Amino acid sequence: MLRTHFSKEINNPEAFKNQLLTWSQQFREVVFLDSNEYHQKYSSYDCVLAVDAFTSLKTDFHNAFEEIKQYQQQTKDWLFGYFSYDLKNDTEKLTSNNFDGLHFPDLFFFQPKKLFLLKGNQLEVHYLLMCDDEFEIDFEEIKLYSDNFVTLVYTERSRSTVEVQQRISKENYLSKVNKMLEHIQRGDIYEANFCMEFFAENAIINPLEIYQKLNAISKPPFAVFFKNNQQYLLSASPERYLKKEGNKVISQPIKGTAKRFSDAALDEKAKNDLAENPKERSENIMIVDLVRNDLSKTATKGSVEVEELCGIYSFEQVHQMISTIASNVAENRAPVDIIKSTFPMGSMTGAPKISAMNIIENLEETKRGLYSGSVGYFSPENDFDFNVVIRSILYNAQNQYLSFSVGSAITSKAVPEQEYEECLLKAKAMFEVLQ
């Protein structure tokens, strides 16, 4: 089915972006992606909004990759949605038996009726089933959502009730990290990402307001507001999982975190210390090797290349160590096959990957679900771009369950107390916006 496609110049892109997000709340399905003008290499758009499903696919992990592959090949259109971490059970003989308070589907994608792609002051609009003057009516409606109107409407409704609890106590966390270190000493794994959940029951929040606060204090390049009826993801992710652009595939794993300081000299020292930290570098390099191996499964011969190793990037809350690995793929390679061969991402699992995922499942106490999964889109040209779902709040408004998880990479040099402090550092922004 053909889309109506046209462009429009926007006078105030930042204000329009906020108006667009607020206007989107009337729809059942919403994916809003915001780069926060963090124009790192390979960014395509400043902001993307997809709303209102024409068709959709929702499934558990059984045969999930084959189902999304067929859906993508049949529609040959823009598709927006997510892969949850537990799709690992579709690719390997693994299970997910831990507690799940959120009850999100393992996979959800939809074909939007309305799509907005903003780059600079140029807006691309793609509509399915467009009626006469539909965009003009929508555009006038979007412009009604001035900043003042947004504040008035959403402050009026925002009576948040959240009492956050910690799923794994500090004492239990330290014990579990020591067990993971025993696995490393035995040679079962070299590294694994161990996570713990913070949660709230009977939680009442305004998802849009919480997302706006989280995005404002974090300003990450892969922020997401996702809504599927009463299921929400409010994400301030700094990490790209995988992007395909023509025949090129790019992965940008993050491993290595340092606190930011208001004092410029202390902040610069923290940045330099992170760059030279042998433990953080070894974490990053192990995952780079894992990603190189994953990409080689679909790459043309000799095309896997590390474009940047252990680069340091600064965000509002933290400094991060990021590497960039790229490969080329054959033109007839199915996009979903590339994702399936690399999923779940190395930065959220460990090395060797399958052994790490088994140990993670045994030691963690919560089903990860969409946390450490991925949100993004497929384009009609068989390109795609997906983030890593970290620094994120998940919320089921129907059962009033709220959850956010944080983790760190455990290697032989890990000090359990320091890993615990790193988790709290990563959780800081979520606690702040929920207070």
Side-chain angles (χ1 to χ4, degrees):
M1 184 171 290
L2 291 175
R3 286 186 176 273
T4 303
H5 165 227
F6 50 92
S7 298
K8 187 175 184 68
E9 193 168 297
I10 301 299
N11 293 330
N12 187 339
E14 192 60 31
F16 182 76
K17 192 167 69 172
N18 293 328
Q19 292 164 342
L20 203 58
L21 175 59
T22 311
W23 171 80
S24 75
Q25 300 306 296
Q26 65 189 283
F27 298 102
R28 179 189 170 98
E29 302 88 5
V30 179
V31 171
F32 179 81
L33 310 174
D34 189 357
S35 75
N36 285 291
E37 299 185 354
Y38 199 95
H39 293 143
Q40 63 185 79
K41 196 174 181 184
Y42 300 120
S43 65
S44 297
Y45 303 105
D46 295 339
C47 154
V48 177
L49 174 68
V51 296
D52 201 10
F54 175 61
T55 64
S56 65
L57 172 66
K58 177 176 75 172
T59 184
D60 64 13
F61 69 85
H62 295 283
N63 210 33
F65 281 106
E66 186 57 34
E67 288 195 39
I68 182 61
K69 181 177 178 179
Q70 290 179 15
Y71 183 48
Q72 194 264 332
Q73 290 175 341
Q74 287 164 3
T75 57
K76 296 183 174 65
D77 194 12
W78 292 92
L79 298 178
F80 287 77
Y82 68 76
F83 300 96
S84 80
Y85 172 80
D86 299 285
L87 294 183
K88 64 185 175 58
N89 306 335
D90 186 32
T91 58
E92 306 294 343
K93 291 180 180 178
L94 298 166
T95 58
S96 298
N97 297 319
N98 288 326
F99 172 78
D100 176 17
L102 286 161
H103 307 295
F104 282 30
D106 289 334
L107 178 146
F108 176 77
F109 277 87
F110 72 97
Q111 180 185 15
K113 290 181 187 174
K114 304 182 183 194
L115 174 61
F116 304 81
L117 307 164
L118 185 64
K119 183 78 171 179
N121 65 351
Q122 293 300 310
L123 177 70
E124 277 184 54
V125 182
H126 299 251
Y127 271 41
L128 270 178
L129 308 174
M130 192 160 102
C131 307
D132 290 345
D133 301 325
E134 184 177 0
F135 172 71
E136 285 76 10
I137 293 166
D138 284 350
F139 190 72
E140 289 306 312
E141 193 176 299
I142 290 164
K143 288 194 297 183
L144 290 175
Y145 289 89
S146 69
D147 289 340
N148 288 336
F149 184 71
V150 172
T151 303
L152 284 170
V153 168
Y154 286 95
T155 303
E156 187 68 24
R157 297 184 193 168
S158 60
R159 292 178 175 83
S160 296
T161 307
V162 181
E163 291 183 19
V164 177
Q165 302 175 63
Q166 190 167 320
R167 180 73 60 189
I168 299 174
S169 68
K170 180 178 180 180
E171 182 183 17
N172 199 8
Y173 175 90
L174 299 178
S175 171
K176 286 172 180 284
V177 172
N178 279 318
K179 286 178 184 173
M180 196 162 273
L181 287 169
E182 289 172 15
H183 281 290
I184 292 170
Q185 287 153 10
R186 284 204 301 266
D188 301 332
I189 49 171
Y190 305 110
E191 173 180 359
N193 192 283
F194 178 58
C195 301
M196 62 173 173
E197 183 197 26
F198 295 87
F199 69 99
E201 297 170 319
N202 303 314
I204 299 171
I205 65 166
N206 179 320
L208 177 60
E209 183 188 46
I210 296 297
Y211 165 77
Q212 288 174 321
K213 287 180 178 178
L214 186 62
N215 193 35
I217 65 172
S218 302
K219 296 180 182 172
F222 300 103
V224 178
F225 179 94
F226 167 87
K227 173 188 175 187
N228 176 23
N229 194 15
Q230 298 197 65
Q231 298 171 345
Y232 294 87
L233 167 70
L234 321 171
S235 179
S237 174
E239 184 172 0
R240 170 178 277 131
Y241 158 46
L242 207 61
K243 175 170 184 169
K244 179 177 177 288
E245 200 172 65
N247 291 341
K248 187 168 187 175
V249 176
I250 305 107
S251 181
Q252 295 180 299
I254 291 179
K255 271 286 161 274
T257 305
K259 182 181 177 181
R260 295 213 62 178
F261 293 87
S262 54
D263 181 277
L266 287 175
D267 196 53
E268 188 64 22
K269 183 180 184 302
K271 188 175 175 180
N272 293 335
D273 287 349
L274 176 60
E276 296 167 8
N277 187 308
K279 186 249 181 192
E280 305 282 17
R281 288 185 67 86
S282 68
E283 279 182 21
N284 196 293
I285 291 165
M286 282 183 204
I287 297 306
V288 167
D289 284 342
L290 188 155
V291 172
R292 287 173 62 219
N293 181 62
D294 281 351
L295 291 183
S296 71
K297 296 171 188 173
T298 56
T300 54
K301 191 174 180 180
S303 69
V304 179
E305 177 188 2
V306 179
E307 293 189 348
E308 182 179 31
L309 185 65
C310 299
I312 305 299
Y313 291 80
S314 298
F315 301 95
E316 295 294 307
Q317 306 279 330
V318 291
H319 300 294
Q320 301 275 200
M321 188 179 284
I322 307 177
S323 292
T324 300
I325 309 100
S327 67
N328 293 323
V329 294
E331 280 191 27
N332 61 353
R333 178 67 72 174
V336 173
D337 289 345
I338 300 167
I339 292 168
K340 183 180 179 181
S341 67
T342 62
F343 195 86
M345 62 289 301
S347 62
M348 295 305 294
T349 52
K353 190 188 271 190
I354 296 171
S355 180
M357 288 191 289
N358 266 315
I359 292 165
I360 286 166
E361 177 68 22
N362 290 332
L363 289 175
E364 292 180 356
E365 296 185 10
T366 310
K367 178 182 173 181
R368 287 195 183 180
L370 183 46
Y371 171 69
S372 74
S374 186
V375 172
Y377 63 86
F378 294 96
S379 78
E381 296 76 34
N382 284 331
D383 288 342
F384 58 73
D385 200 1
F386 286 90
N387 77 351
V388 177
V389 179
I390 52 175
R391 321 291 161 82
S392 302
I393 295 168
L394 290 151
Y395 180 54
N396 186 329
Q398 186 170 17
N399 67 2
Q400 297 183 345
Y401 188 86
L402 181 145
S403 170
F404 61 93
S405 294
V406 289
S408 69
I410 310 303
T411 66
S412 62
K413 296 179 180 178
V415 178
E417 284 274 359
Q418 291 177 4
E419 300 301 326
Y420 184 77
E421 290 303 317
E422 182 176 323
C423 287
L424 295 184
L425 173 62
K426 291 172 177 174
K428 180 173 173 283
M430 277 84 80
F431 274 111
E432 191 174 322
V433 300
L434 290 168
Q435 283 173 353

